[in-house]
């Protein structure tokens, strides 16, 4: 269980990140906002990027934990998008920073997990050889990731609900086509 101080540091950081870009936040800003000393910050975190990575990892884990085995791919994508939109300013500040690789890495983890759950729910692993199964996972997760990155790069202005529905229809069609070819 995180300590009160560690939680306060995270909350202050997120508050500040909601107000200004990551490049304009210093350790001094964080500790002044949450009324702890610099040593307390450095006791819990090596630096701001390590603080950022821990927060992103926790958020990714929370999204993954919300995915149940029978959740449709569309529901998984919508849940992820909703979580991102609820934290729009923070996410865009991270995405537009030099530390966006943390965010992208964990977004890819979410896309991979969602893809595997989707493929398991369709019982496709029973119909595909290992090579095709891995290729399908790679294809779907990379497409999901690419669509989300495109959405982020456009400042979340694209209509992702419609795009999600279209992506899911395309995946369903591709999967049916692949399964028919194997017969």
């Amino acid at each position: 269980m995180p300590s009160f101080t560690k939680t306060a540091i995270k909350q202050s950081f997120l508050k500040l990140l909601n107000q200004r870009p990551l490049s304009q936040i210093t350790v001094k800003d964080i500790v002044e906002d949450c009324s702890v000393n610099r040593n307390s910050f450095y006791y819990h975190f090596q630096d701001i990027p390590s603080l950022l990575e821990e927060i992103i990892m926790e958020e990714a884990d929370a999204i993954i934990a919300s995915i149940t085995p029978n959740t449709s791919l569309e529901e998984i994508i919508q849940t992820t998008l909703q979580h991102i939109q609820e934290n729009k300013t923070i996410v865009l500040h991270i995405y537009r920073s030099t530390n966006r690789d943390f965010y992208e890495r964990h977004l890819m983890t979410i896309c991979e997990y969602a893809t595997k759950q989707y493929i398991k729910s369709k019982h496709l692993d029973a119909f595909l050889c290992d090579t095709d199964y891995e290729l399908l996972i790679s294809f779907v997760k990379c497409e999901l990731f690419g669509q989300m990155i495109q959405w982020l790069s456009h400042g979340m202005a694209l209509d992702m609900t419609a795009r999600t529905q279209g992506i899911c229809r395309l995946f369903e069609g591709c999967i049916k086509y692949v399964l028919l070819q194997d017969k």
Side-chain angles (χ1 to χ4, degrees):
M1 171 163 286
S3 73
F4 172 79
T5 302
K6 189 172 187 177
T7 301
I9 291 168
K10 288 178 184 179
Q11 289 172 344
S12 289
F13 176 65
L14 290 172
K15 175 183 155 193
L16 294 169
L17 193 55
N18 200 35
Q19 296 169 353
R20 57 186 179 224
L22 182 60
S23 62
Q24 295 177 10
I25 299 171
T26 64
V27 172
K28 181 181 178 188
D29 297 330
I30 297 167
V31 298
E32 284 178 0
D33 185 77
C34 66
S35 301
V36 300
N37 64 42
R38 290 178 69 86
N39 289 339
S40 294
F41 177 92
Y42 289 112
Y43 175 79
H44 294 286
F45 302 101
Q46 181 179 344
D47 51 20
I48 289 177
S50 66
L51 166 60
L52 176 64
E53 186 163 25
E54 184 170 315
I55 290 170
I56 291 170
M57 188 170 39
E58 288 172 355
E59 292 300 314
D61 289 345
I63 291 170
I64 287 171
S66 73
I67 300 170
T68 60
N70 296 322
T71 307
S72 73
L73 183 60
E74 189 171 343
E75 290 171 323
I76 293 168
I77 296 169
Q78 289 298 342
T79 297
T80 304
L81 295 173
Q82 179 182 352
H83 185 78
I84 292 170
Q85 285 176 318
E86 288 171 359
N87 299 289
K88 181 178 181 173
T89 303
I90 292 170
V91 170
L92 288 175
H93 281 156
I94 294 168
Y95 181 74
R96 293 173 178 152
S97 78
T98 57
N99 298 101
R100 84 189 225 183
D101 60 320
F102 298 140
Y103 190 79
E104 288 178 348
R105 190 172 343 122
H106 292 289
L107 184 58
M108 180 61 90
T109 300
I110 294 167
C111 291
E112 182 172 357
Y113 185 81
T115 299
K116 287 180 177 179
Q117 288 298 346
Y118 169 68
I119 291 171
K120 282 181 189 176
S121 74
K122 298 288 185 182
H123 307 289
L124 298 175
D125 49 343
F127 299 104
L128 299 171
C129 68
D130 289 345
T131 304
D132 288 347
Y133 177 73
E134 291 300 320
L135 182 61
L136 183 60
I137 289 171
S138 179
F139 172 75
V140 174
K141 81 173 179 184
C142 289
E143 182 58 33
L144 290 176
F145 178 78
Q147 290 292 329
M148 289 189 183
I149 291 298
Q150 185 178 23
W151 178 59
L152 288 170
S153 70
H154 285 88
M156 298 185 201
L158 302 174
D159 180 1
M160 283 303 287
T161 300
R163 291 176 80 89
T164 297
Q165 292 167 348
I167 290 166
C168 291
R169 280 193 313 275
L170 285 170
F171 289 156
E172 290 287 329
C174 289
I175 290 167
K176 287 176 185 172
Y177 179 78
V178 168
L179 292 176
L180 288 173
Q181 296 304 309
D182 286 343
K183 289 186 177 186

